[in-house]
Amino acid sequence: MKNNQYFKTSLGLYMNYFVQGMQAIIISQNASFFADKWGTDSAGVLGVIAIIGIGKVIILLFSGFLSDYFGRKPLVYIGMAGYLFFFGGLLVANSVTMASIVAFSAGAATSFLDAATYPALMEIYPDKSSVASVIVKGFISVSGFIFPLFVGLLTKNNVWIGISILVPLVIVALNVIYMLNKRFPDSDLKEGNEKKVSKLIETHFANQPRYYVEGAILLVYAFVCMACFYSYQQVITLYGQQILMMDDFSSRLLLSLYTLGSFCAVISTSIIMAKFKNSGYRDPCHLYMYNCNLLYAHLLCAKSTNGTCRILCNWVYSCRGCASNWYCIDIAVLSKI
């Protein structure tokens, strides 16, 4: 992958998702801080988080069309601008209304980035599109592991929590500068290369898939996976603090362990997909069954009252890849249907 002429472009794209790993949990990890700042309670903070999802869903309806019409790079920059507005807005928002506007921009920005980044990565790495998509979740998992611990250290040492907002803000600003002169394949591809890419996509399937059957099933599966993944992310720290009566740092560690398992799943999924592609294996059903079996193991562990089993429960659930690795595979498959 390093020898690819667009390798530096892909690094910038992946860095946006390193930031997204922090963006997804920054409000829930600072729930008490924002509750005081916005004059609300935990339920109000979770309501603001829900606005992020609303923004993502609304923009996602037409962001794909815009990505195809205007190209990948403009939408990537719109997404990064949205993140700058989001993190900057969190520093100044002092009411639920202002916070909701800022949160909507984060959801919109994420949709713009998704609409541009996933197709761009598949165009950069046409032979390894599934692996390239799954690596996105690797970057999200790394930041998702580090960020809760970082916030916990800030809280433990009574350091201004706003630093946890400034860090991703600075990273995005630097990435905006880094991406200025980076080229994207959709604007560089010539007619001959376009035919080559089309051929690779067409010959990937032995039989022409039916979008309204396979596509619909994958969309439902991806929706349920992301709902479980995102909900768990937002509430596990508060659950540890308010229900399990854990201390602040230990409750944040739950989320870090969760994302650590997700990162392990990213590595294993990448290896599995690469091995299956090289061996000519094309049936993903066994991979989905593996994912479901881990879910059943998670539910069994969750029924236990033993503390060790509950820790195992958190780890097993995270080793499902937080469900989102399979969402990436779904995207890769859907893009070729």
Side-chain angles (χ1 to χ4, degrees):
M1 296 177 80
K2 289 184 179 180
N3 296 326
N4 192 294
Q5 61 176 320
Y6 300 106
F7 175 71
K8 292 182 178 180
T9 300
S10 67
L11 286 181
L13 295 175
Y14 285 132
M15 186 54 62
N16 285 331
Y17 283 87
F18 180 83
V19 174
Q20 188 186 121
M22 293 181 273
Q23 174 270 317
I25 59 177
I26 192 169
I27 297 179
S28 61
Q29 286 299 301
N30 295 306
S32 298
F33 171 76
F34 288 123
D36 294 338
K37 187 177 176 63
W38 300 336
T40 186
D41 54 12
S42 297
V45 172
L46 290 175
V48 172
I49 293 174
I51 299 297
I52 297 177
I54 294 174
K56 183 171 184 178
V57 169
I58 292 176
I59 302 302
L60 200 60
L61 295 174
F62 56 86
S63 58
F65 168 78
L66 295 178
S67 176
D68 291 335
Y69 188 81
F70 293 106
R72 316 305 183 202
K73 190 168 185 176
L75 262 71
V76 168
Y77 264 88
I78 291 174
M80 289 191 289
Y83 276 176
L84 289 174
F85 179 79
F86 171 68
F87 292 118
L90 287 181
L91 291 172
V92 300
N94 55 14
S95 68
V96 172
T97 301
M98 291 180 63
S100 297
I101 296 172
V102 169
F104 184 90
S105 72
T110 300
S111 286
F112 283 125
L113 285 175
D114 287 349
T117 301
Y118 284 108
L121 289 173
M122 292 172 194
E123 291 161 357
I124 292 173
Y125 304 111
D127 294 326
K128 300 178 180 178
S129 58
S130 296
V131 175
S133 298
V134 170
I135 291 175
V136 166
K137 292 303 176 185
F139 277 80
I140 294 176
S141 297
V142 169
S143 60
F145 172 76
I146 297 172
F147 191 73
L149 301 179
F150 175 61
V151 175
L153 289 174
L154 293 179
T155 304
K156 186 176 182 179
N157 294 285
N158 296 316
V159 179
W160 181 51
I161 207 70
I163 292 178
S164 65
I165 304 173
L166 286 174
V167 168
L169 177 65
V170 171
I171 293 175
V172 175
L174 292 176
N175 202 37
V176 167
I177 298 172
Y178 172 79
M179 293 289 288
L180 281 174
N181 62 345
K182 298 300 178 289
R183 294 161 41 232
F184 281 70
D186 66 305
S187 57
D188 287 350
L189 281 176
K190 296 180 180 179
E191 186 66 24
N193 289 332
E194 288 176 351
K195 290 180 180 178
K196 183 179 179 181
V197 172
S198 298
K199 184 178 179 181
L200 285 170
I201 294 175
E202 288 174 0
T203 56
H204 180 79
F205 294 101
N207 299 307
Q208 187 64 27
R210 295 166 295 173
Y211 178 80
Y212 292 106
V213 179
E214 289 94 336
I217 292 173
L218 289 174
L219 285 172
V220 171
Y221 181 81
F223 175 81
V224 174
C225 283
M226 288 305 294
C228 295
F229 165 64
Y230 196 72
S231 298
Y232 190 95
Q233 260 193 330
Q234 303 308 318
V235 303
I236 186 59
T237 298
L238 288 174
Y239 181 81
Q241 293 172 348
Q242 299 180 8
I243 306 300
L244 301 180
M245 300 303 174
M246 301 174 71
D247 62 78
D248 183 80
F249 192 82
S250 296
S251 63
R252 298 181 192 280
L253 183 61
L254 289 175
L255 181 55
S256 291
L257 289 174
Y258 178 69
T259 50
L260 177 61
S262 175
F263 181 74
C264 293
V266 167
I267 302 300
S268 62
T269 302
S270 299
I271 294 173
I272 290 171
M273 294 303 296
K275 292 289 185 181
F276 282 2
K277 183 176 181 64
N278 292 336
S279 64
Y281 188 82
R282 288 294 181 269
D283 185 5
C285 293
H286 291 85
L287 303 180
Y288 288 107
M289 289 301 297
Y290 163 79
N291 193 29
C292 292
N293 287 335
L294 282 178
L295 173 59
Y296 299 148
H298 160 71
L299 293 175
L300 290 175
C301 291
K303 297 290 286 184
S304 173
T305 57
N306 183 275
T308 302
C309 283
R310 285 190 176 275
I311 294 174
L312 178 62
C313 164
N314 190 70
W315 176 256
V316 168
Y317 190 73
S318 66
C319 282
R320 293 178 60 234
C322 298
S324 57
N325 296 339
W326 304 102
Y327 166 71
C328 286
I329 297 173
D330 287 349
I331 291 176
V333 173
L334 283 170
S335 68
K336 297 173 183 177
I337 292 181

